[in-house]
């Protein structure tokens, strides 16, 4: 066991750090630091910069455009991305569909879609959940009926993150009602511009609009857009959900957020002293840091096991579950730190470009403006990606044998 | 960077786990506890034969070398087996003091004996008023001719009643809670003026309260530097805290496993209790907390062998706090899920629970270490 970086790892870390810190556009960095809304351009501009450097898809095999990094290098890269205030890279193409196509796609599909994911020319979204199929995903009922060279798709997808920006959606659809519910599912790529595709935003409790309903009405999809075999989509979906669990814990971002807690607690006052000098608040921070460090070490262990050639198992469910708990605990610390001004709501923070406090809006310190909305927004984390209760079911079954 | 075990370490782990699985069940443990001194001398000799007592001791002093990770691997297995042998007091505390603070003469004299299983050691660092503060030392060591005279009381000294030598902290100068002025002495357990009141601990080990009245020692009894003993003590106790956090993970894994096994067997309402989701989800929490404690613990162990003392102290505090918190949760849940059987002396789980609970009360409990981390935090914030 060695926790100190070796000279090559240190050199790599420095190279990555130097590039990311000098390349991130300041206006994007400001938005990320303050938790402000990012628009499509912010993501795309930044992702294109990373693409030019060859670093946009760390987990992809080299032959498809990945940088060929080791698990440790990928871990260090994640750390530096967060430290440099990088926006989250949009995962749907990079971490979900990309690996799926590498594993299951035809040569034509790989050639057609992978380069456009790398270059951020195509924005993908994920069509899994339906109004009647949340945790019980396999019960999904969006139908795809074969009609010559096409499937005709009818149904509704929901909770579709950033569908309003998307060019394409990958969908789980039902192609058969025979046998077990998992057996009749297929994995289909649908162009969002196809007639019959309608996106309707869902306003969330923080006032934001990042999730959507996607309605599919007699949408004609070429059969070439099927990934894997017909009725074998559940295998593809399981691969997608189980792949690339590293980073799912969000350790690097949580570390960055803990810095934000410190900064805010240094500015906020309690009884005439900075909050950060308050023993009780410091103990709360210490507690979250314990949990965060324990999570990081568990991830590092799993990552080292992977580097040693052992396949990641269902243990990664721990990362999702405990990772989101830590993330949510940090949103609570932030909320607590800003005190009574947590309640102040400046609707302008929902706009594409918030100029900062003090114009026509309420007088709220810049650091406090998004804290409450972030807290509310982040309740999603323990729900999405297989709710934390589903993760417990996985652990109970696959690890404890219950 | 690499955070998993080498092939060699995996061999040590397999051997230790096999030993406790095959040769150390609850009945064996009960027999060992009933022996004089509360442990089995033959088992101790076996530990020596297997090289366990020589870990961390340089090869030219009768040891087999290796770092703290190897020791942690053994302790994790000992945790799962609920070993009652004085490994912590002799190897981790006594051996730790000797390796970190001992002069070449002291090391050459004592470490080969320790590695061979011929020397048992204890460390008295706590006093009735000190709670978990290592600097709170009222025991005095007054210069007397060429040596010192020690007076004071040490409490809950693990295995004090059976060991050959006891290390103690004593004040050579300063006030009772001063950081400076503490010195570590290594005294013979049967020296005139040393009285040990020996007793069992709640979790099945032995400990003793040590009274020192006019105990005369020579300068050769000093371990490390005169007046700088707190630094040595803190380093050794931090390392022990990190190691016992890993031992705790071993206890937790055994606790979770025996709970899962029991709930697969035990039927109510016509089916195994393990079929009920409400209970499954509680066991998944036990499992996850075990994993988190284990890897945080190993991180802290690795840090103890590094040069950065403040990183080592922080990591030890984190690991020990986590062990206390997770230990309480897992122990309580395990007993609850066992139902009535969980509160019987007959079941393994009740012994695991008691050990987990008492691990929290050695080297500082969770509240102590969270408070300590919070104090470190303010230091960082000011920096």
């Amino acid at each position: 066991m060695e926790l100190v970086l070796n000279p090559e790892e240190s050199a790599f870390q420095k190279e990555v750090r130097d590039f990311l810190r000098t390349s991130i556009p300041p206006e994007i960095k400001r938005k990320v630091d303050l938790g402000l809304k990012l628009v499509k351009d912010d993501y795309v501009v930044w992702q294109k910069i990373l693409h030019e450097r060859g670093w946009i898809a760390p987990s992809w095999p080299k032959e498809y455009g990945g940088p060929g990094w080791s698990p440790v290098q990928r871990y260090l890269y994640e750390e530096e991305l967060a430290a440099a205030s990088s926006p989250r890279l949009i995962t749907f193409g990079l971490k979900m569909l990309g690996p799926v196509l590498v594993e299951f796609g035809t040569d034509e599909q790989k050639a057609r879609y992978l380069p456009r994911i790398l270059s951020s020319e195509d924005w993908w979204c994920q069509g899994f959940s339906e109004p009647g199929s949340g945790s019980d995903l396999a019960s999904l009922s969006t139908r795809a009926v074969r009609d010559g060279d096409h499937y005709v798709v009818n149904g509704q997808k929901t909770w579709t993150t950033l569908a309003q920006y998307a060019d394409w959606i990958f969908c789980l659809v039902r192609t058969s009602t025979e046998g077990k519910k998992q057996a009749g599912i297929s994995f289909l790529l649908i162009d969002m511009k196809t007639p019959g595709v309608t996106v309707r935003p869902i306003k969330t409790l923080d006032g934001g609009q990042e999730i959507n309903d996607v309605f599919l009405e007699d949408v004609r999809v070429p059969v070439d857009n099927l990934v894997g075999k017909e009725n074998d989509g559940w295998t593809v979906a399981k691969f997608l959900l189980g792949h690339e669990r590293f980073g799912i814990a969000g350790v690097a971002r949580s570390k960055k957020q803990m810095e934000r807690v410190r900064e805010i607690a240094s500015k906020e006052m309690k009884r005439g002293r900075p909050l950060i000098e308050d023993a009780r608040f410091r103990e709360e921070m210490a507690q979250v840091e314990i949990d965060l460090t324990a999570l990081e070490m568990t991830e590092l262990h799993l990552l080292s096991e992977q580097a040693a050639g052992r396949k990641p198992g269902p243990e990664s469910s721990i990362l999702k579950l405990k990772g989101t708990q830590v993330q949510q605990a940090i949103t609570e610390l932030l909320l607590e730190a800003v005190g009574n001004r947590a309640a102040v709501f400046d609707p302008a923070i929902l706009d594409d470009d918030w100029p900062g406090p003090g114009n026509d809006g309420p007088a709220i310190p810049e650091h406090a403006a998004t804290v409450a909305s972030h807290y509310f927004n982040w309740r999603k984390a323990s729900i999405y990606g297989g709710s934390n209760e589903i993760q417990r079911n996985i652990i109970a079954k696959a690890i404890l044998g219950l | 960077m690499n955070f998993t075990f080498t092939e060699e370490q995996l061999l040590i782990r397999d051997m230790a786990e096999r030993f406790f699985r095959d040769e150390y069940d609850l009945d064996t443990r009960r027999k060992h506890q009933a022996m004089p001194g509360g442990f089995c001398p033959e088992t101790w000799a076996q530990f020596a034969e297997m090289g366990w007592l020589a870990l961390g001791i340089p090869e030219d002093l009768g040891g087999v070398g290796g770092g703290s990770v190897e020791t942690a691997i053994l302790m994790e297995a000992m945790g799962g087996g609920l070993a009652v042998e004085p490994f912590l007091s002799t190897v981790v505390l006594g051996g730790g003091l000797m390796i970190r603070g001992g002069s070449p003469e002291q090391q050459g004299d004592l470490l080969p004996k320790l590695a061979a299983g011929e020397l048992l050691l204890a460390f008295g660092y706590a006093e009735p008023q000190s709670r978990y503060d290592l600097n709170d030392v009222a025991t005095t060591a007054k210069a007397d001719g060429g040596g010192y005279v020690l007076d004071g009381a040490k409490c809950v000294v693990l295995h004090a009643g059976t060991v050959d030598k006891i290390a103690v902290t004593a004040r050579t100068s300063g006030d009772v809670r001063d950081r400076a002025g503490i010195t570590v002495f290594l005294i013979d357990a049967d020296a005139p003026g040393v009285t040990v009141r020996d007793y069992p601990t709640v979790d099945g080990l032995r400990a003793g309260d040590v009274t020192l009245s006019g105990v005369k020692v020579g300068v050769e009894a000093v371990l490390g530097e005169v007046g700088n003993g707190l630094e040595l003590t803190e380093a050794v106790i931090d390392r022990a805290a990190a190691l016992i956090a890993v031992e705790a993970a071993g206890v937790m894994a055994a606790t979770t496993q025996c709970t899962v096994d029991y709930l697969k067997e035990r039927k109510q309402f016509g089916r195994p209790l393990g079929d009920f989701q409400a209970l499954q989800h509680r066991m998944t929490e036990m499992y996850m907390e075990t994993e988190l404690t284990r890897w945080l613990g190993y991180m802290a162990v690795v840090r103890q062998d590094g040069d950065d003392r403040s990183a080592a102290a922080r990591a030890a505090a984190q690991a020990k706090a986590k062990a206390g918190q997770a230990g309480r949760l897992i122990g309580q849940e395990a007993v609850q899920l066992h139902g009535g059987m969980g509160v019987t002396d007959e079941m393994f789980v009740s012994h695991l629970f008691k050990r987990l609970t008492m691990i929290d009360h050695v080297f500082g409990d969770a509240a102590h270490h969270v408070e300590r981390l919070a104090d470190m935090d303010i230091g960082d914030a000011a920096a």
Side-chain angles (χ1 to χ4, degrees):
Chain A
M1 289 186 164
E2 178 54 81
L3 288 169
V4 179
L5 300 182
N6 67 32
E8 294 84 61
E9 288 164 348
S10 293
F12 173 83
Q13 183 186 49
K14 186 178 183 309
E15 182 193 2
V16 168
R17 180 176 296 171
D18 289 349
F19 177 80
L20 295 177
R21 294 199 177 171
T22 50
S23 308
I24 182 128
E27 63 280 11
I28 294 179
K29 181 181 185 314
R30 171 180 174 267
K31 283 186 174 185
V32 172
D33 285 341
L34 294 178
L36 293 167
K37 181 182 172 184
L38 292 156
V39 294
K40 184 171 184 176
D41 249 12
D42 297 324
Y43 291 107
V44 171
V45 163
W46 177 232
Q47 290 189 177
K48 280 180 186 292
I49 292 172
L50 295 178
H51 173 53
E52 269 174 47
R53 191 68 183 75
W55 293 352
I56 189 66
S59 64
W60 289 23
K62 213 168 176 178
E63 54 182 307
Y64 296 107
W69 288 340
S70 69
V72 168
Q73 287 176 311
R74 281 154 58 186
Y75 168 84
L76 294 173
Y77 179 64
E78 286 285 338
E79 287 243 295
E80 294 305 326
L81 272 180
S85 306
S86 160
R88 290 164 197 283
L89 304 187
I90 298 302
T91 57
F92 307 109
L94 293 168
K95 287 195 172 178
M96 294 180 177
L97 183 64
V100 157
L101 290 177
V102 166
E103 182 79 12
F104 299 96
T106 63
D107 289 343
E108 291 74 32
Q109 287 171 336
K110 288 176 191 170
R112 178 170 176 198
Y113 299 112
L114 293 179
R116 296 175 63 87
I117 293 174
L118 291 173
S119 63
S120 298
E121 279 166 277
D122 288 341
W123 185 299
W124 284 87
C125 62
Q126 180 188 27
F128 276 22
S129 293
E130 297 181 4
S133 303
S135 288
D136 182 12
L137 182 60
S139 72
L140 59 91
S141 60
T142 293
R143 286 283 286 161
V145 179
R146 186 76 181 257
D147 177 31
D149 290 341
H150 286 78
Y151 289 103
V152 180
V153 182
N154 279 283
Q156 182 191 343
K157 293 295 175 182
T158 192
W159 317 133
T160 316
T161 300
L162 300 178
Q164 69 267 35
Y165 298 155
D167 305 295
W168 286 82
I169 182 168
F170 53 87
C171 281
L172 292 180
V173 295
R174 184 157 299 287
T175 38
S176 167
T177 51
E178 308 276 308
K180 277 179 64 181
K181 59 187 175 183
Q182 287 85 357
I185 293 171
S186 298
F187 192 100
L188 213 52
L189 310 179
I190 303 177
D191 187 336
M192 294 291 279
K193 290 183 292 296
T194 321
V197 178
T198 318
V199 175
R200 188 180 71 186
I202 300 171
K203 185 173 170 184
T204 46
L205 76 175
D206 57 322
Q209 281 184 359
E210 62 179 8
I211 54 176
N212 303 271
D213 285 313
V214 177
F215 298 92
L216 303 160
E217 205 178 347
D218 291 327
V219 178
R220 294 186 66 82
V221 182
V223 291
D224 288 348
N225 292 13
L226 177 73
V227 178
K229 293 198 217 58
E230 190 177 277
N231 296 332
D232 200 24
W234 192 247
T235 308
V236 181
K238 274 198 301 187
F239 173 86
L240 183 151
L241 293 170
H243 189 80
E244 190 58 35
R245 307 295 282 198
F246 294 116
I248 198 166
V251 167
R253 279 175 195 281
S254 288
K255 282 181 169 176
K256 176 79 175 172
Q257 286 296 97
M258 282 306 294
E259 273 178 35
R260 190 163 177 231
V261 172
R262 263 167 225 286
E263 272 171 39
I264 293 180
S266 306
K267 289 174 183 160
E268 292 287 333
M269 301 296 281
K270 177 178 172 183
R271 294 180 193 141
R273 305 289 311 160
L275 179 64
I276 198 151
E277 293 178 20
D278 180 64
R280 205 193 53 77
F281 191 77
R282 285 207 313 270
E283 288 199 7
E284 284 186 45
M285 288 198 303
Q287 183 64 58
V288 174
E289 300 226 312
I290 290 169
D291 295 334
L292 176 54
T293 311
L295 178 72
E296 179 179 26
M297 292 304 137
T298 304
E299 182 173 44
L300 264 181
H301 171 69
L302 290 171
L303 188 143
S304 299
E305 286 282 288
Q306 195 191 31
R310 288 179 275 268
K311 261 186 92 163
E315 294 87 356
S316 57
S317 284
I318 304 173
L319 303 180
K320 196 275 168 172
L321 200 157
K322 291 290 172 181
T324 51
Q325 285 181 350
V326 168
Q327 292 159 28
Q328 291 176 336
I330 295 172
T331 66
E332 289 165 31
L333 276 182
L334 288 166
L335 192 64
E336 185 185 337
V338 299
N340 54 358
R341 283 183 297 187
V344 179
F345 179 53
D346 181 355
I349 62 163
L350 299 170
D351 296 343
D352 292 353
D353 282 298
W354 185 60
N359 296 298
D360 292 331
I364 181 171
E366 195 171 58
H367 67 250
T370 62
V371 161
S373 74
H374 187 62
Y375 165 78
F376 290 115
N377 178 280
W378 217 250
R379 301 314 298 171
K380 70 189 177 187
S382 48
I383 299 167
Y384 64 42
S387 74
N388 286 10
E389 287 69 28
I390 290 294
Q391 304 302 331
R392 286 186 195 279
N393 286 353
I394 292 171
I395 292 169
K397 193 173 166 210
I399 297 175
L400 302 182
L402 290 163
Chain B
M1 190 163 63
N2 169 39
F3 195 53
T4 191
F5 304 112
T6 62
E7 291 301 322
E8 221 174 14
Q9 289 168 339
L10 289 174
L11 286 178
I12 295 173
R13 190 183 68 177
D14 291 348
M15 178 173 81
E17 283 179 355
R18 204 174 329 112
F19 177 83
F20 286 102
R21 191 180 56 237
D22 297 345
E23 300 184 41
Y24 208 101
D25 62 7
L26 189 54
D27 284 338
T28 311
R29 182 179 194 251
R30 287 187 209 275
K31 278 185 212 129
H32 291 189
Q33 284 172 310
M35 291 178 185
F39 73 97
C40 170
E42 282 92 68
T43 301
W44 189 250
Q46 261 181 296
F47 282 15
E49 267 169 49
M50 293 187 286
W52 293 0
L53 308 181
L55 277 177
I57 297 176
E59 288 176 35
D60 56 345
L61 292 171
V64 297
S68 296
V69 172
E70 282 79 5
T71 305
I73 290 168
L74 276 188
M75 286 181 72
E76 189 181 351
M78 288 179 190
L82 285 184
V84 294
E85 280 62 32
F87 186 87
L88 179 69
S89 74
T90 297
V91 178
V92 175
L93 295 176
L97 285 169
M98 295 294 305
I99 287 170
R100 211 179 172 95
S103 66
E105 293 76 28
Q106 289 167 326
Q107 292 182 342
D109 180 26
L110 298 175
L111 286 176
K113 289 182 194 151
L114 194 161
E118 292 156 8
L119 176 73
L120 297 178
L121 299 172
F123 185 20
Y125 52 85
E127 300 186 355
Q129 83 293 343
S130 71
R131 205 174 168 87
Y132 299 121
D133 292 333
L134 299 171
N135 57 308
D136 193 330
V137 175
T139 297
T140 55
K142 294 204 172 71
D144 174 52
Y148 294 89
V149 178
L150 277 65
D151 284 281
K154 296 290 172 182
C155 66
V156 208
V157 182
L158 284 171
H159 299 285
T162 29
V163 298
D164 305 297
K165 288 176 185 289
I166 304 173
V168 294
T169 47
R171 194 157 279 295
T172 35
S173 65
D175 222 345
V176 72
R177 277 183 293 280
D178 285 353
R179 290 187 56 83
I182 294 168
T183 305
V184 181
F185 293 89
L186 188 63
I187 57 180
D188 288 336
D190 58 2
V194 178
T195 326
V196 179
R197 182 184 285 255
D198 170 73
Y199 49 79
T201 63
V202 171
D203 52 340
L205 307 177
R206 303 292 299 188
D209 291 336
V210 179
T211 311
L212 307 168
S213 358
V215 179
K216 292 189 177 200
V217 295
V219 284
E220 73 284 352
V222 172
L223 263 179
E225 286 174 58
V226 173
N228 258 340
L230 185 61
E231 228 171 86
L232 172 63
T233 302
E234 284 178 337
V236 168
I237 297 296
D238 274 338
R239 179 168 172 274
L243 286 165
I244 209 171
V246 174
E247 178 178 342
V251 187
M252 291 174 199
T255 308
T256 304
Q257 191 59 53
C258 77
T259 304
V260 169
D261 290 345
Y262 184 74
L263 268 69
K264 283 179 184 169
E265 291 284 313
R266 169 79 175 160
K267 287 199 172 94
Q268 287 289 276
F269 306 103
R271 50 182 174 138
L273 286 175
D275 281 3
F276 292 93
Q277 194 180 45
L279 309 186
Q280 288 179 352
H281 283 194
R282 289 165 73 171
M283 287 184 278
T284 63
E285 189 67 17
M286 294 165 68
Y287 162 76
M288 287 189 288
E289 288 297 310
T290 302
E291 291 295 308
L292 293 166
T293 304
R294 176 185 298 122
W295 302 118
L296 188 63
Y298 273 105
M299 179 277 287
V301 167
V302 172
R303 293 271 185 250
Q304 303 311 308
D305 290 353
D307 298 330
D308 185 343
R309 263 303 295 151
S310 76
R314 171 184 289 270
Q318 288 189 325
K320 188 61 176 57
K322 182 75 189 171
Q325 293 167 345
R328 179 181 297 187
L329 174 101
I330 290 167
Q332 290 178 353
E333 287 288 81
V335 168
Q336 177 69 23
L337 293 174
H338 271 77
M341 289 307 288
V343 296
T344 65
D345 180 69
E346 176 193 337
M347 298 295 278
F348 193 36
V349 68
S350 64
H351 302 272
L352 293 162
F353 177 39
K354 286 193 279 185
R355 180 78 185 121
L356 278 177
T357 306
M358 291 310 147
I359 283 178
D360 190 34
H361 290 268
V362 65
F363 311 136
D365 60 15
H368 169 82
H369 285 292
V370 171
E371 186 184 31
R372 197 178 156 209
L373 286 162
D375 288 344
M376 292 179 194
D377 210 57
I378 191 69
D380 293 354

